[in-house]
Amino acid sequence: MSDAPLNIAYYVTGHGLGHATRVVEVCRQLVASGHKVFVVTAAAAGVFIREIPSQQLSVRRAVLDCGSKQQDAFSVDMKGSLELYQETAVDCRDAILTEEVRWLKTSEIDLVAVDIVPIAFAAAAAAGLPAVGVSNFSWDLIYSEYASTLGNVGNSYRKMVWQIAEDYACASVLLRLPGYSPMPAFGEVIDVPLVVRHAQKSKAQVYIELRLQEDTHLCVFIYGGQPPGEWELREENLPEGWICVVCSGGKPIVSDNKLPSNFRLAKPDDFIPDLVNAANCVLGKIGYGTTSECLGHGTPFIFIRRDYFNEEPFLRKQLEVHGLGVEMKRRDFLSGNWAPFLLKTLTMESNFNEATNGAEVVARMLEHIARHKGYIPIPEPPEGDVGTANGYNANGPPRGRAVARAGAGRLRDAIVFGYMMQRHRARGKVEVPEWYVPGAVRATSPETPQVSAAVQASTAATQEVLAAFDITHGKENLDQCPDTAAFLSMLHHLDDPVDEDADPPELPERLAAKSLFRWEDEVIVTRAPGRLDVMGGIGDYSGCLVLQKPTAEACHVACQRHPLAKQKVWKHIQNRHKGHRPKPVLRVVSFHADDTNRSPTFDMDLTELLRDGQPISYSEARTYFKSDPATSWAAYVAGPLVVLMHELGLRYPQGISLLLSSAVPEGKGVSSSAAVEVAVMQALCAAHDVHIDGRHLALLCQKVENYVVGAPCGVMDQMASSLGDQQALMAMSCQPAEVEPEVLIPSHLKFWGLDSGVRHSIGGADYTSVRAGAFMGLRVMTQQKAAEGPEPLGNGYLCSIRPSVYAQHYEENLPESMTGADFLAKYHHHYDHATQVGIAPLNFSLRLLHCPCGL
């Protein structure tokens, strides 16, 4: 085997600086070994040439992908991203492949390395070359989310996403970086250590260059060079004794002399890892580059969540597991309420002790695969020395034979990928199972109670609860609700001392919940189940008869009111209220958020629900909760407050704390949102001495979903959660909500719900357009019989129209579909308060499944 220098083509996505900087580190190792590297990218050439001034490295500009199109530093334009990739890499795919294959052959390339441009793998395969991916995520995952979320609009891009996955399947192997997301398209995968840029200067040197005193605290703000949007930098953002250095990715927002006196603008040639190493904390959005540098230098990272970027939850998990992640809500960031979060980082210590020699490991593996024409090594066993990382010795050649990736590994990726795509869109759920991310083992009971066979079979939790609490109502039902006993047991242990040496550390949600309640006063606990749709389902808004079965899984809520004199609030709320009179505050903690890409906490001043002494409108409330997707789930929790203000005249002069723990699966069509709404509504009514029956409560919860969340559901889900009986099927005529005699379940029958894997969301575009189309069809049919009167046909319920009448009088004249603009021009409205037709060029199906079922 020849030791001659190799020609390696390295394709690099133009999306984000993090990809380019990690590739620089690998290229540095390859060039140092005497190889010639051809970087192919849409990123700025200077990023590579400035760091590696060698004739062995050249940069060829080629726009082969586009990443995500961002609206600002924290928001993604999903539709624009799909459109741009279609235009960049799909419409001209044949021309791109022809040119790249020609260039690879004429340049005598030995190996193609890719981070993580899809079409580069296809080009390498066509040129007969091994292609090696080096990344922590892939674009099929990101774009799948966009296509799924956009509903009908996204459906046209599904073929494009499959093409991306097929391109990735051309890879010889994926060298997978820590913080990885599922990438099932790759057949063979080898995990490698963190690729990170290391600091070149000490903290003392950086402080001297910045002219800072030794006792000054330093924050490095990295915002990625995107337009500032709604935020601005103010002197009062920082606590006394702090300086913030702003790194703007080469796109300064203002000149240095226009910044507040306690802010500095980083120079374009400043080496960011030097600043990260010297800083007390970093502030910005999560990406691989910043995350890896914070982990590598033990620097806490205060992050603001981004909308719709599936790479983020996996990197966030890495930060939190290693004690370096602090979440700042977008609201606090925009308002300049930074101080509590900066001060918190002064008490944090990193437990990250993993290797950071990924650049050396990757470079040696690329060299090995190139020399052996695609021969894939098996990782060496750990040797325990400094040069070993996750089983790889960077100081010696990799050994082993080519192996296919284990089927279990691909299945793990496929499962997590699928669940991320099937999550409930309205709450942004993204599953990150503890068994998927190394080192991220979730703490179990009492930290996060789970209903288990062991708990259900034992009375230990019940006995503990009866001894710990003075239960004034509902004690007689505790034996029949072991999950409630487990929830109460968790409450009992909520104030247990924090174990500073816990591995992994306590979850952020549990730490936030510790100060929610005053245990000497009354705490309200409620339970509401999900439901299985046995019959009727989607037809509830058309007036069907439905049969519903409550699930064994339920949502629990603990609620307490706080007089202002006794109200405790989190530190960032204290800072927000500084200089003002005390205000009643809503504080919410949602357990199990560590498994999701949503914030585990939410808070707001209850005065924000008032405008000139009157409740804000439903539309204002909906806009408020949608302003930050990371906390948009709070509409289901705080929405009942808004509805109770409008419908029953309630006001909230005292603070309110809510703790939620739900075992009802989300996005699976078993009414997880209704369970939350009913449990919260029950708790709020009990805490405010409001007495209403179950039917009235369910109707109020439907208003939460329709008016505050903005999801066009019927009332079936809320009725089943509020009134359902575990031993019977709840029968209801949805005209509008008349409960019929229940249907008893024979003792020999059991009901089970099986997950079909099809994502369900009543807030999704598909559900909304189907419902809107149904009412549009009703409006068209009503117009046909206008001579009989202006009232809607069937009293507004399609199911009141007999199938024979529909077939004889209406079906032939009912259009198959109609655009919103054409419909509004002719018919003006469609009867339904929960959906809007709109003038967008979208075709609504009017005849697809709207023949009434006549139940």
Side-chain angles (χ1 to χ4, degrees):
M1 180 180 64
S2 172
D3 289 332
L6 297 167
N7 291 335
I8 296 177
Y10 213 134
Y11 285 81
V12 188
T13 181
H15 174 85
L17 191 61
H19 296 273
T21 56
R22 70 189 183 197
V23 168
V24 164
E25 297 306 304
V26 177
C27 290
R28 196 190 310 277
Q29 299 295 324
L30 291 170
V31 169
S33 298
H35 306 303
K36 192 168 185 178
V37 180
F38 301 83
V39 174
V40 184
T41 185
V47 174
F48 304 91
I49 296 172
R50 183 172 60 249
E51 292 293 325
I52 310 175
S54 169
Q55 292 185 351
Q56 294 295 103
L57 179 106
S58 61
V59 180
R60 168 176 164 251
R61 178 170 175 77
V63 181
L64 304 178
D65 72 347
C66 59
S68 292
K69 184 178 180 180
Q70 293 186 232
Q71 296 173 331
D72 55 45
F74 305 113
S75 300
V76 172
D77 179 356
M78 292 185 287
K79 183 172 180 288
S81 299
L82 295 175
E83 290 174 341
L84 187 56
Y85 188 86
Q86 176 79 31
E87 178 184 329
T88 302
V90 178
D91 293 344
C92 50
R93 177 180 174 85
D94 291 343
I96 289 175
L97 285 173
T98 299
E99 173 57 22
E100 294 309 308
V101 171
R102 183 201 64 77
W103 178 80
L104 289 169
K105 289 181 176 179
T106 57
S107 301
E108 300 182 344
I109 298 298
D110 297 299
L111 174 82
V112 176
V114 190
D115 185 355
I116 184 84
V117 183
I119 202 169
F121 292 98
L129 296 171
V132 179
V134 185
S135 186
N136 63 302
F137 79 96
S138 54
W139 288 111
D140 49 347
L141 175 70
I142 308 301
Y143 291 153
S144 291
E145 178 187 28
Y146 300 169
S148 299
T149 302
L150 291 172
N152 289 336
V153 174
N155 287 340
S156 59
Y157 294 100
R158 292 182 182 272
K159 182 179 179 181
M160 181 184 84
V161 175
W162 278 111
Q163 181 63 68
I164 291 173
E166 289 176 7
D167 287 345
Y168 286 143
C170 295
S172 303
V173 65
L174 169 68
L175 304 183
R176 187 168 62 177
L177 298 170
Y180 56 81
S181 59
M183 294 179 273
F186 291 89
E188 295 168 358
V189 174
I190 297 177
D191 288 315
V192 295
L194 201 67
V195 175
V196 58
R197 297 188 296 174
H198 295 283
Q200 300 169 358
K201 298 176 182 178
S202 68
K203 176 174 181 175
Q205 288 175 300
V206 172
Y207 265 51
I208 290 172
E209 292 180 3
L210 293 174
R211 300 179 181 178
L212 300 180
Q213 299 295 321
E214 288 185 11
D215 60 350
T216 300
H217 297 301
L218 176 61
C219 171
V220 176
F221 175 32
I222 303 174
Y223 77 95
Q226 296 296 326
E230 303 174 52
W231 53 269
E232 61 177 316
L233 305 178
R234 296 182 292 270
E235 188 170 346
E236 57 268 26
N237 288 12
L238 306 179
E240 186 176 350
W242 282 74
I243 291 292
C244 180
V245 174
V246 181
C247 304
S248 58
K251 302 175 183 178
I253 48 175
V254 291
S255 62
D256 213 359
N257 60 6
K258 291 184 179 180
L259 285 171
S261 61
N262 51 356
F263 283 80
R264 311 278 179 83
L265 192 63
K267 299 174 183 177
D269 58 350
D270 280 343
F271 191 52
I272 302 302
D274 289 339
L275 295 173
V276 172
N277 181 53
N280 296 97
C281 65
V282 170
L283 170 63
K285 63 184 181 182
I286 291 180
Y288 181 89
T290 308
T291 299
S292 65
E293 287 163 15
C294 285
L295 288 170
H297 297 95
T299 305
F301 187 178
I302 303 171
F303 61 87
I304 303 98
R305 297 180 188 239
R306 288 188 288 176
D307 305 345
Y308 301 112
F309 203 76
N310 273 341
E311 176 193 21
E312 181 176 290
F314 299 90
L315 295 174
R316 175 181 58 79
K317 179 85 80 172
Q318 287 279 341
L319 289 167
E320 292 180 350
V321 163
H322 296 295
L324 291 174
V326 179
E327 180 179 359
M328 180 189 290
K329 300 291 195 305
R330 194 174 303 187
R331 166 184 177 163
D332 290 304
F333 172 75
L334 296 176
S335 66
N337 187 23
W338 297 8
F341 305 95
L342 299 180
L343 294 173
K344 180 178 181 179
T345 63
L346 299 180
T347 65
M348 300 175 67
E349 292 186 10
S350 170
N351 60 25
F352 183 80
N353 56 9
E354 299 177 12
T356 57
N357 64 337
E360 304 141 76
V361 172
V362 170
R364 286 193 174 268
M365 297 198 79
L366 292 177
E367 179 181 1
H368 173 88
I369 294 169
R371 293 201 186 283
H372 292 79
K373 305 299 181 185
Y375 187 73
I376 310 299
I378 293 179
E380 294 181 334
E383 299 179 14
D385 59 40
V386 175
T388 301
N390 293 347
Y392 299 94
N393 184 356
N395 298 318
R399 300 176 301 183
R401 58 184 176 79
V403 294
R405 185 181 175 196
R410 296 198 74 181
L411 180 60
R412 283 157 50 98
D413 267 16
I415 290 171
V416 178
F417 186 105
Y419 270 91
M420 291 181 72
M421 292 304 99
Q422 304 302 335
R423 80 200 192 292
H424 193 304
R425 169 181 174 269
R427 287 187 295 286
K429 184 174 176 65
V430 180
E431 305 246 356
V432 188
E434 64 272 15
W435 48 261
Y436 186 75
V437 180
V441 180
R442 184 172 67 183
T444 55
S445 180
E447 284 79 3
T448 52
Q450 299 288 334
V451 179
S452 65
V455 171
Q456 293 176 4
S458 172
T459 61
T462 302
Q463 296 304 318
E464 178 187 42
V465 166
L466 292 174
F469 292 105
D470 178 17
I471 302 178
T472 60
H473 177 72
K475 183 190 300 187
E476 64 278 4
N477 297 320
L478 203 54
D479 285 336
Q480 283 73 49
C481 298
D483 56 340
T484 302
F487 181 76
L488 291 171
S489 176
M490 179 278 302
L491 289 179
H492 173 53
H493 291 282
L494 199 58
D495 269 354
D496 288 355
V498 176
D499 182 358
E500 301 291 347
D501 299 320
D503 184 20
E506 284 198 272
L507 299 175
E509 58 202 40
R510 177 172 168 84
L511 295 174
K514 282 181 174 293
S515 65
L516 281 181
F517 304 113
R518 308 179 323 279
W519 297 112
E520 68 275 13
D521 292 325
E522 184 180 70
V523 176
I524 305 293
V525 174
T526 57
R527 178 188 187 275
R531 65 97 189 99
L532 287 176
D533 174 28
V534 178
M535 187 181 79
I538 196 174
D540 63 341
Y541 58 75
S542 292
C544 280
L545 173 68
V546 299
L547 293 177
Q548 304 298 307
K549 171 74 169 63
T551 62
E553 295 77 15
C555 173
H556 286 87
V557 169
C559 173
Q560 188 176 59
R561 296 175 66 185
H562 303 279
L564 293 185
K566 296 183 178 182
Q567 177 177 250
K568 298 178 182 179
V569 295
W570 295 316
K571 289 182 179 179
H572 69 275
I573 303 175
Q574 294 175 4
N575 199 63
R576 188 168 76 220
H577 289 176
K578 188 182 297 182
H580 300 280
R581 295 176 61 183
K583 301 177 183 179
V585 173
L586 170 68
R587 291 187 299 155
V588 183
V589 175
S590 175
F591 274 177
H592 315 310
D594 187 63
D595 294 338
T596 72
N597 190 26
R598 68 182 184 207
S599 173
T601 65
F602 172 81
D603 66 85
M604 67 180 299
D605 297 337
L606 287 166
T607 52
E608 295 180 77
L609 297 179
L610 295 171
R611 190 86 64 240
D612 298 326
Q614 296 300 314
I616 61 174
S617 68
Y618 285 132
S619 61
E620 285 180 284
R622 186 163 57 250
T623 300
Y624 178 94
F625 293 116
K626 285 186 176 180
S627 62
D628 183 357
T631 55
S632 60
W633 58 267
Y636 294 91
V637 182
L641 292 166
V642 180
V643 171
L644 288 171
M645 293 173 76
H646 277 277
E647 307 302 327
L648 299 183
L650 260 64
R651 298 293 184 269
Y652 309 107
Q654 297 183 343
I656 300 172
S657 293
L658 294 169
L659 174 62
L660 282 74
S661 180
S662 181
V664 183
E666 298 184 35
K668 306 302 177 185
V670 290
S671 301
S672 59
S673 61
V676 170
E677 292 156 358
V678 170
V680 171
M681 188 72 77
Q682 289 173 338
L684 291 174
C685 287
H688 292 86
D689 202 27
V690 173
H691 302 282
I692 55 177
D693 60 32
R695 181 180 183 278
H696 190 186
L697 187 139
L699 291 170
L700 292 177
C701 290
Q702 183 194 20
K703 290 182 183 292
V704 173
E705 192 115 26
N706 287 174
Y707 298 152
V708 182
V709 177
C713 71
V715 75
M716 172 185 74
D717 297 353
Q718 290 80 7
M719 293 287 282
S721 183
S722 177
L723 297 173
D725 182 346
Q726 279 285 348
Q727 308 306 318
L729 298 179
M730 187 196 76
M732 185 180 76
S733 174
C734 302
Q735 299 192 17
E738 306 308 320
V739 178
E740 306 286 347
E742 64 185 16
V743 179
L744 294 178
I745 301 173
S747 59
H748 64 281
L749 290 182
K750 298 291 183 183
F751 285 84
W752 293 84
L754 302 180
D755 184 3
S756 68
V758 178
R759 187 172 80 179
H760 173 83
S761 169
I762 56 176
D766 291 342
Y767 180 97
T768 303
S769 64
V770 168
R771 173 168 174 157
F775 281 95
M776 289 164 66
L778 179 63
R779 179 72 179 88
V780 171
M781 290 189 293
T782 299
Q783 185 82 358
Q784 294 177 20
K785 63 123 203 169
E788 301 175 25
E791 294 300 319
L793 202 62
N795 293 319
Y797 298 107
L798 279 170
C799 286
S800 296
I801 307 170
R802 296 179 64 82
S804 59
V805 173
Y806 168 78
Q808 182 177 356
H809 297 286
Y810 301 109
E811 183 175 17
E812 185 177 347
N813 296 319
L814 186 65
E816 289 281 354
S817 62
M818 183 178 289
T819 66
D822 289 344
F823 176 84
L824 291 175
K826 186 172 182 179
Y827 300 101
H828 311 298
H829 65 87
H830 72 321
Y831 302 127
D832 186 24
H833 67 276
T835 60
Q836 294 181 343
V837 175
I839 60 173
L842 173 67
N843 269 315
F844 293 88
S845 296
L846 274 62
R847 209 200 291 185
L848 180 62
L849 43 79
H850 301 140
C851 179
C853 62
L855 295 175

